[in-house]
Amino acid sequence: MFSFDQHTLSEALSADLPMILEEHQQLLQKVSVKEIAALALLMQEAKRIFITGAGRTGLMMKAAAMRFMHMGFTVHVVGETTTPAILKGDLLLAASGSGTTSSIVKAAEKAHAAGAAVAALSTTTQSPLAALAQFVLLIPAAQKQDFNGTISRQYAGSLFEQSILLIADALFQTIWKLSDAAPEEVWKRHANME
């Protein structure tokens, strides 16, 4: 399928790795730290947190769910067989770059109808998901079909997906640091049947 040599690959990687990091540094200067803190407050107030995202964004959200569980939050991933019904007092944390992904919008509609809060992570505040959300964390990254590379030189929404993981890990790190929880205590929640 491909026939690259090691030298060509090494040279390309030497350019692409710093480019990806540079894009994140530029993006994170545009994301409001106060808004991320506001999201942390919503998480603290929630009885339970429900997490949803599709595709690679969904994988990043599952990684976030794991870390939030390690911190002691009661977290459920939408669509898993053991996920209970969302109720008033719960929080749906929904990520969609476009804010139009049908399964994510439907989850937000159901959460809204049940009286749960909805917080969206998205590249836009003008979408069906944003309209349902009480809170939108705007992440000004490229959407999947930004083929001209004006926002990101990476492929198909990669910058948005990667930023979900970075922001979630920053949330975890900050909450953990401020909680003074010993690493050994947090570790007790780590899976022991891997």
Side-chain angles (χ1 to χ4, degrees), residues 62-75 169 172 175-176 179 181-192 194:
K62 284 182 177 184
M66 176 188 276
R67 282 293 182 251
F68 298 154
M69 176 275 296
H70 288 158
M71 201 60 248
F73 290 102
T74 302
V75 183
D169 275 358
F172 167 81
I175 292 168
W176 175 44
S179 75
E184 297 81 7
E185 287 303 307
V186 175
W187 184 256
K188 289 179 182 177
R189 294 186 196 98
H190 197 280
N192 61 5
E194 294 179 306

Side-chain angles (χ1 to χ4, degrees), residues 28-94:
L28 294 175
Q29 290 176 4
K30 298 174 187 171
V31 175
S32 169
V33 174
K34 287 184 179 180
E35 292 294 308
I36 298 172
L39 178 58
L41 292 176
L42 286 174
M43 292 169 58
Q44 282 181 174
E45 294 166 3
K47 291 179 185 174
R48 301 175 300 173
I49 300 170
F50 289 72
I51 300 278
T52 190
R56 282 174 38 111
T57 300
L59 294 172
M60 300 303 110
M61 292 298 283
K62 284 182 177 184
M66 176 188 276
R67 282 293 182 251
F68 298 154
M69 176 275 296
H70 288 158
M71 201 60 248
F73 290 102
T74 302
V75 183
H76 300 283
V77 175
V78 173
E80 297 294 324
T81 57
T82 58
T83 300
I86 195 166
L87 303 170
K88 185 175 182 175
D90 293 334
L91 171 67
L92 174 66
L93 190 52

Side-chain angles (χ1 to χ4, degrees), residues 97-133:
S98 67
T100 61
T101 308
S102 61
S103 60
I104 309 306
V105 173
K106 288 201 181 304
E109 289 170 347
K110 289 183 180 186
H112 183 73
V118 177
L121 288 78
S122 186
T123 64
T124 180
T125 58
Q126 304 297 313
S127 70
L129 177 60
L132 291 162

